[in-house]
Amino acid sequence: MFNLLKKSDEKCRMLRDLLEESVAARPDAVRIEELNEGWLPAQRAHMSQCSKCQEAALDILATRKIFAGVASYGEMERPWFAKRVMAGIAARERELCEVTRTWMAVPKFASRLAMAAAAILLVASTWIFERPSTAPTKQPTATAGQEYLFEAPPPPMNQDDVLISMAEQNQ
């Protein structure tokens, strides 16, 4: 394995990269011949002649044989991890569903609210239109019936003057 990290010529380095890819692609291979089945003839020839590349391939196969029964950390089953993740996903989904359900009810109530507002507006406008208007009553003044076309109106009288003049007329 450590031979893969040593610097060597470019051809050996490319072949070792290819060797690592072959090991990853064929996890059940136990011989070098099984690893280099899909290689080009020139690459196979180099593997059979280069002792460094053969040693690297044997190191990789030996390492694989040593760690055959050991599962990687990523493959180890953690019993509560999946349950916690799924529970978290379900909780988030419930939260989003509640928010969505709340906002989906708004259009239903909006149409009902618009109809109620229209009915109230119709009743209120009909009631205001049909209601008899009560104009404030003005007290009759002594000069109310006269028109002043060419002359200025007389100064306004206060109520005391009107009452006195009416009292004088009744006597």
Side-chain angles (χ1 to χ4, degrees):
M1 191 73 174
F2 296 107
N3 289 337
L4 289 176
L5 301 176
K6 291 182 181 177
K7 290 188 175 181
S8 62
D9 62 349
E10 188 66 31
K11 195 171 188 178
C12 286
R13 197 171 336 167
M14 287 175 43
L15 194 65
R16 289 178 188 163
D17 290 339
L18 183 63
L19 180 65
E20 288 179 10
E21 291 173 8
S22 296
V23 167
R26 296 190 178 111
D28 55 340
V30 290
R31 296 182 325 191
I32 295 175
E33 290 79 21
E34 292 175 4
L35 289 176
N36 63 10
E37 281 180 3
W39 295 3
L40 298 173
Q43 293 170 337
R44 286 186 192 175
H46 178 82
M47 179 61 89
S48 63
Q49 294 172 357
C50 183
S51 63
K52 290 181 182 178
C53 293
Q54 287 176 0
E55 189 177 334
L58 291 174
D59 285 346
I60 289 176
L61 290 173
T63 305
R64 180 190 284 178
K65 188 183 247 183
I66 291 171
F67 290 110
V70 179
S72 69
Y73 184 70
E75 294 174 0
M76 289 176 58
E77 186 176 334
R78 291 175 249 159
W80 295 285
F81 178 75
K83 290 180 184 176
R84 285 187 308 207
V85 169
M86 294 308 289
I89 291 170
R92 180 72 177 152
E93 192 172 287
R94 275 192 308 273
E95 179 183 322
L96 290 174
C97 285
E98 288 174 10
V99 169
T100 304
R101 206 174 302 129
T102 302
W103 284 108
M104 294 215 26
V106 169
K108 293 177 187 174
F109 293 125
S111 63
R112 292 178 186 164
L113 181 64
M115 292 297 284
I120 290 172
L121 185 63
L122 180 67
V123 168
S125 63
T126 304
W127 178 72
I128 289 173
F129 182 72
E130 294 293 325
R131 188 179 70 173
S133 65
T134 56
T137 58
K138 295 184 180 178
Q139 293 182 353
T141 59
T143 60
Q146 299 177 358
E147 292 185 20
Y148 298 100
L149 292 177
F150 298 108
E151 53 190 53
M157 295 190 228
N158 63 14
Q159 289 189 1
D160 290 336
D161 293 339
V162 172
L163 290 177
I164 292 174
S165 63
M166 287 178 76
E168 290 175 356
Q169 288 175 358
N170 288 338
Q171 287 181 8

